[in-house]
């Protein structure tokens, strides 16, 4: 991660361009939300970069700036938005179709949103079987497609007068696949791009194009976009921050809030059954078992890592963890997630907790896209490259270097994030020891 204490942070001058591969429900809710907040029509609730604060020094010092002021983030007025999709719909049409935001709000933003038109996508139906759009690029091989994406990025930057770019993948979940030989080194990966290697997924072509140009890349889906050695080698070479994967929103957010609590009080777990009904396009894509497998793997790891059954066999050995997602169109983006949690207390006596979370998927995801865009740009401005583990807070499957297990506990993740900001700015870390108040 190349973290350095008290570095000089390059100022956020000029405009930041946010590029979104995949302009569906999450991406358009994010863009429309930023435009609405910019015009004072709504508040950026859920966003750490817009509403969060950070304590510096002792509790008695009363130094609590906003994160935004502390690390001098660009304002929403200094951001512009673009992206790619396999459907030609502009952001107004796509947002209306997604049905997340109210029509009245969208109508107020219509002229601005309509100007945001997706660029033709790099797509391969074998990787997302439930979708088939025509707004796509063609090329002799995958390297040529990557070059076209790089041209898009350069053109976008030029036409919009941007100083810097970041990319946040908001495209569909691809089928489950594992890294192969072609992913093992940059040389083999580039060779694979030229040879049209079947193992290279479209999301990896976007990631390659961005990282090659030094554009920070965050992966919002559980896809294998930036977590393989070849792209990490490229990130190092080009000094580019990468982060992933899979936005931590509804049910997994709840899990990483509750499970640390059970563990803290040494309450045992017999089983955690999670099921969801979801009716948006994401739900339709996840109706394909191969795409669902990718999501399932991303969702299942969370409890194991938080509860550490190997360290606490009496409490957590062999708990049952089941995750289901059912595509149910009437619900649209308003997912309903049920959890049944079988826990046990003193002397092994069983108890149950039931959660019925009527959430809104894209409403939970949009502020994450905003925070990731701004923090990834900050990372680049501080010359932090490679995996940005301090952004684990935002992901279901946080990336770590080979051999290091991820931190899933939301509260540790937040402490890690804020301490990273303090560290980079050269301020004291906050350990919560508090001994200094009793001297
Ligand atoms: N909403 C959440 O709470 C949440 C949480 C975690 C992860 N995610 C992930 O975020 C992604 C976006 O979710 P969504 O609800 O906006 O889905 P969506 O289906 O509304 O949007 C995805 C868009 O990506 C486009 N797309 C697919 N492949 C593409 C490609 N190769 N290039 C360009 N565009 C492509 C699709 O046409 C679609 O418009 C999904 O992968 C989802 O699993 C969402």
């Amino acid at each position: 991660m190349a973290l350095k204490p008290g570095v000089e942070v390059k100022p956020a001058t000029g405009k930041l361009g946010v590029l979104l591969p995949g302009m569906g429900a999450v991406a358009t809710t994010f863009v429309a939300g930023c435009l609405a907040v910019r015009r004072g029509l709504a508040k950026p609730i859920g966003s750490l970069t817009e509403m969060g604060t950070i304590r510096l020094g002792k509790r008695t010092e009363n130094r609590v700036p906003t994160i935004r002021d502390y690390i001098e983030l660009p304002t929403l007025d200094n951001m512009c938005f673009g992206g790619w999709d396999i459907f030609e719909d502009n952001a107004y049409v796509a947002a209306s179709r997604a049905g997340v935001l109210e029509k009245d709000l969208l109508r107020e933003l219509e002229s601005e949103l309509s100007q945001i038109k997706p660029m033709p996508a790099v797509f391969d139906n074998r990787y997302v079987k439930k979708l088939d759009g025509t707004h796509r690029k063609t090329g002799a091989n995958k390297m040529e497609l990557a070059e076209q994406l790089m041209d898009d990025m350069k053109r976008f930057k030029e036409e919009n007068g941007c100083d810097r770019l970041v990319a946040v993948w908001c495209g569909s979940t691809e089928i489950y696949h594992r890294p192969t030989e072609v992913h093992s080194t940059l040389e083999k990966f580039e060779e694979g791009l030229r040879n049209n290697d079947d193992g290279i997924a479209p999301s990896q072509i976007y990631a390659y194009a961005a990282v090659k140009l030094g554009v920070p890349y965050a992966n919002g889906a559980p896809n294998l976009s930036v977590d393989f050695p070849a792209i990490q080698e490229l990130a190092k070479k080009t000094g580019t921050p990468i982060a992933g994967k899979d936005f931590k929103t509804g049910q997994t957010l709840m899990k990483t809030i509750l499970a640390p609590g059970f563990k803290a009080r040494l309450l045992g777990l017999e089983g955690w059954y999670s099921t969801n009904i979801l009716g948006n396009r994401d739900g339709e894509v996840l109706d394909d078992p191969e795409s669902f497998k990718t999501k399932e793997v991303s969702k299942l790891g969370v409890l194991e890592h938080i509860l550490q059954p190997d360290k606490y066999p009496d409490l957590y050995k062999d708990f049952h963890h089941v995750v289901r997602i059912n595509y149910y169109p009437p619900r649209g983006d308003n997912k309903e997630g049920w959890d049944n949690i079988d826990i046990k207390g003193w002397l092994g006596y069983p108890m149950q907790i039931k959660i019925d979370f009527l959430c809104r998927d894209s409403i939970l995801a949009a502020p994450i896209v905003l925070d990731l865009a701004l923090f990834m740009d900050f990372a680049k401005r501080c010359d932090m490259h490679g995996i940005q583990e301090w952004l684990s807070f935002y992901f279901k499957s946080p990336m770590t270097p080979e051999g290091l297990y991820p931190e899933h506990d939301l509260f540790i993740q937040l402490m890690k994030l804020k301490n990273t900001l303090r560290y980079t700015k050269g301020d004291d870390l906050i350990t919560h020891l508090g001994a200094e108040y009793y001297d």
Side-chain angles (χ1 to χ4, degrees):
M1 179 153 72
L3 209 58
K4 294 174 204 140
V7 291
E8 199 187 318
V9 185
K10 289 191 197 90
T13 44
K15 259 202 263 179
L16 174 67
V18 183
L19 289 172
L20 307 157
M23 301 196 68
V26 171
T28 56
T29 306
F30 155 68
V31 174
C34 290
L35 301 179
V37 172
R38 196 145 94 176
R39 290 184 26 189
L41 301 172
K43 295 278 178 203
I45 293 175
S47 162
L48 206 56
T49 53
E50 300 305 307
M51 300 189 115
T53 61
I54 182 162
R55 167 157 74 90
L56 304 174
K58 292 184 187 171
R59 269 183 274 160
T60 46
E61 287 177 32
N62 199 21
R63 279 199 294 148
V64 190
T66 59
I67 289 177
R68 147 161 302 291
D69 287 344
Y70 182 50
I71 57 168
E72 294 156 44
L73 292 171
T75 61
L76 292 175
D77 288 330
N78 285 324
M79 291 171 75
C80 60
F81 311 95
W84 298 264
D85 206 287
I86 55 170
F87 299 107
E88 240 172 311
D89 302 337
N90 66 46
Y92 175 72
V93 176
S96 308
R97 193 193 168 285
V100 179
L101 300 175
E102 283 168 9
K103 288 192 173 61
D104 287 350
L105 177 65
L106 288 178
R107 264 194 292 272
E108 290 211 51
L109 306 167
E110 181 173 353
S111 67
E112 275 178 282
L113 282 173
S114 309
Q115 284 164 32
I116 302 173
K117 300 186 175 102
M119 298 177 267
V122 171
F123 186 71
D124 181 343
N125 178 249
R126 287 172 302 171
Y127 278 88
V128 181
K129 296 194 171 151
K130 292 270 177 176
L131 295 184
D132 216 357
T134 53
H135 191 51
R136 310 182 189 186
K137 296 190 191 307
T138 49
N141 56 50
K142 293 183 176 179
M143 183 58 100
E144 225 180 87
L145 296 174
E147 280 158 4
Q148 290 179 34
L149 288 172
M150 287 187 250
D151 289 343
D152 287 349
M153 292 178 202
K154 289 181 202 157
R155 198 179 333 107
F156 180 90
K157 189 172 176 193
E158 168 91 33
E159 284 175 4
N160 290 281
C162 296
D163 189 57
R164 301 166 322 283
L165 297 177
V166 294
V168 183
W169 173 270
C170 292
S172 306
T173 300
E174 294 172 337
I175 58 166
Y176 184 70
H177 66 132
R178 307 277 319 144
T180 57
E181 189 61 24
V182 76
H183 300 100
S184 61
T185 67
L186 182 57
E187 197 185 337
K188 286 183 184 161
F189 189 75
E190 290 185 331
E191 181 71 19
L193 285 171
R194 283 188 290 270
N195 293 341
N196 261 334
D197 191 297
D198 270 348
I200 298 179
S203 68
Q204 293 165 354
I205 304 177
Y206 285 94
Y208 173 82
V211 175
K212 177 92 182 169
L213 289 185
V215 173
Y217 187 96
N219 176 17
N223 303 342
L224 196 71
S225 305
V226 278
D227 32 7
F228 56 91
I231 210 91
Q232 288 164 20
E233 194 182 324
L234 182 62
K236 195 167 175 193
K237 202 167 147 189
T238 58
T240 310
I242 51 175
K245 57 185 190 281
D246 205 4
F247 301 131
K248 175 151 80 175
T249 51
Q251 206 162 46
T252 310
L253 173 66
M254 284 298 145
K255 275 185 184 151
T256 64
I257 291 172
L258 287 172
F262 300 154
K263 164 116 168 282
R265 300 302 286 255
L266 298 173
L267 292 167
L269 183 72
E270 294 287 345
W272 197 314
Y273 178 82
S274 304
T275 186
N276 300 275
I277 52 175
L278 174 64
N280 59 15
R281 191 182 275 158
D282 187 31
E284 190 181 352
V285 168
L286 294 174
D287 209 33
D288 169 42
E290 289 183 87
S291 285
F292 175 67
K293 170 85 176 151
T294 314
K295 198 58 140 183
E296 190 186 26
V297 168
S298 169
K299 280 171 168 269
L300 282 178
V302 169
L303 290 181
E304 283 283 319
H305 282 110
I306 294 176
L307 299 174
Q308 297 178 294
D310 52 323
K311 306 262 180 321
Y312 301 91
D314 290 336
L315 300 175
Y316 305 122
K317 190 165 181 287
D318 299 331
F319 65 82
H320 298 272
H321 188 193
V322 179
V323 179
R324 295 276 175 269
I325 299 177
N326 287 104
Y327 177 51
Y328 180 61
R331 276 306 163 90
D333 199 68
N334 297 349
K335 181 164 81 180
E336 183 157 5
W338 288 274
D339 285 280
N340 171 74
I341 315 164
D342 287 289
I343 60 170
K344 61 184 179 190
W346 185 240
L347 312 180
Y349 277 70
M351 294 172 265
Q352 290 184 6
I353 299 174
K354 313 273 180 192
I355 301 171
D356 183 5
F357 189 10
L358 287 95
C359 73
R360 292 172 187 265
D361 248 13
S362 303
I363 293 293
L364 292 167
I368 297 185
V369 181
L370 174 58
D371 286 359
L372 282 173
L374 291 177
F375 282 141
M376 290 294 274
D377 176 53
F378 171 74
K380 172 93 182 181
R381 289 192 285 122
C382 299
D383 202 20
M384 290 195 251
H385 56 260
I387 300 169
Q388 303 299 305
E389 202 198 316
W390 63 287
L391 296 175
S392 300
F393 183 65
Y394 295 106
F395 295 111
K396 284 193 190 78
S397 292
M399 284 173 69
T400 50
E402 183 77 31
L404 182 65
Y405 70 81
E407 188 51 73
H408 281 285
D409 177 326
L410 189 82
F411 307 100
I412 297 177
Q413 291 173 331
L414 181 61
M415 208 186 308
K416 195 182 189 63
L417 187 157
K418 289 191 175 180
N419 269 339
T420 302
L421 300 181
R422 294 181 186 107
Y423 186 76
T424 6
K425 293 277 290 179
D427 278 304
D428 289 343
L429 304 189
I430 292 199
T431 63
H432 299 286
L433 177 67
E436 64 272 28
Y437 303 113
Y438 294 89
D439 281 346

